[in-house]
Amino acid sequence: MHVLLIEDDALVGAGIEAGLRLHGLAVDRLSTVTEADAALQAFHTDVVILDLGLPDGSGMTLLARLRQRGDSVPVLVLTARDAVKDRVAGLRAGADDYLLKPFDLDELVARLQALLRRAGGHSQPMLVHGPLRLDPVSRQVWLHDAPVSLSRRELALLEVLLHSRRAVLSAEQLKDSLYGFEAEVESNAVNVHIHHLRRKLGSGIVKTVRGLGYQLGEPAPLPTDQVPT
């Protein structure tokens, strides 16, 4: 999951960023409405954490702009504004969740995962695709009930595809989800991770849509010598 964190307090922002990275998330942090608005129009992100008190305006302004132009990216408002009227205003403006500071990091991560599940049309914490299962909390993967060892990037790629199983994602969107906006990565990095996923989970697990990008495919079938008779 790639998270765009919009927080102007450097100490708070650095703490959140470090904590999310420890949970295996890719994070970019910006501190103004202007920077965040430009980034959201130029890059792909999976979820936004939005502070309301920003130096060049209110986070509510950014939220309104997002929804007015039809951007449905999940937004979690993270703020110290605890009045009921503020929470109601945020949710009515298009926020998907509202969390008060101070907060517990585990709760923040759980809420982000829930937002991504709902955005992808999933109700269960476990991501299931036929004989393939991924537990976003334990970061474990099973194929036909056998554990599969994936690297951090391979697991992140698989999670993105499972959450967006009907969508075609460009290589650039996948790169943003895996590495963030500013990371310097090799041009073939996404292709390398796709190759490894295909080797471990079956050649059909990632479908190439010529000229457009990639889409979730089918995992490897159970070997014929293990099929029950």
Side-chain angles (χ1 to χ4, degrees):
M1 186 195 316
H2 176 261
V3 179
L4 179 60
L5 170 62
I6 307 166
E7 168 63 66
D8 67 317
D9 186 306
L11 187 61
V12 171
I16 296 173
E17 186 175 357
L20 294 180
R21 290 186 185 280
L22 285 175
H23 281 76
L25 309 183
V27 186
D28 280 297
R29 178 163 56 94
L30 300 174
S31 59
T32 69
V33 170
T34 303
E35 292 173 340
D37 196 22
L40 284 163
Q41 293 185 72
F43 301 101
H44 169 79
T45 189
D46 298 305
V47 65
V48 174
I49 299 175
L50 177 63
D51 186 22
L52 295 182
L54 299 170
D56 62 339
S58 170
M60 294 285 284
T61 301
L62 175 61
L63 182 57
R65 288 179 191 169
L66 279 174
R67 299 316 186 212
Q68 285 168 4
R69 61 175 178 251
D71 193 330
S72 59
V73 62
V75 175
L76 182 148
V77 170
L78 184 63
T79 180
R81 299 181 187 178
D82 61 354
V84 172
K85 65 174 183 174
D86 291 319
R87 284 177 275 171
V88 170
L91 294 169
R92 285 181 172 169
D96 299 276
D97 201 356
Y98 199 104
L99 183 61
L100 296 176
K101 300 175 181 176
F103 60 93
D104 182 87
L105 182 64
D106 287 338
E107 180 182 3
L108 175 60
V109 171
R111 285 173 179 260
L112 294 176
Q113 291 170 337
L115 286 179
L116 204 57
R117 284 201 309 273
R118 290 202 294 271
H122 311 295
S123 59
Q124 299 299 320
M126 184 79 72
L127 296 173
V128 180
H129 182 53
L132 180 66
R133 291 181 293 132
L134 186 155
D135 185 341
V137 177
S138 68
R139 317 302 291 165
Q140 292 180 294
V141 175
W142 298 266
L143 179 61
H144 299 291
D145 293 325
V148 180
S149 177
L150 299 181
S151 72
R152 180 166 66 93
R153 302 292 188 196
E154 292 161 11
L155 194 147
L157 174 58
L158 178 61
E159 188 172 8
V160 169
L161 291 169
L162 287 169
H163 277 299
S164 309
R165 61 186 67 202
R166 287 180 289 273
V168 176
L169 302 174
S170 69
E172 196 65 23
Q173 286 177 309
L174 292 176
K175 182 188 77 66
D176 290 344
S177 288
L178 298 183
Y179 294 98
F181 301 157
E182 305 297 332
E184 294 290 335
V185 297
E186 297 291 334
S187 59
N188 68 336
V190 171
N191 287 332
V192 170
H193 298 315
I194 289 174
H195 170 76
H196 290 160
L197 276 188
R198 286 170 170 164
R199 179 169 54 83
K200 295 177 180 181
L201 300 175
S203 60
I205 191 63
V206 184
K207 293 165 53 179
T208 300
V209 182
R210 190 174 299 277
L212 295 176
Y214 303 94
Q215 186 179 37
L216 182 68
E218 296 302 322
L222 192 67
T224 54
D225 61 351
Q226 297 181 32
V227 175
T229 57

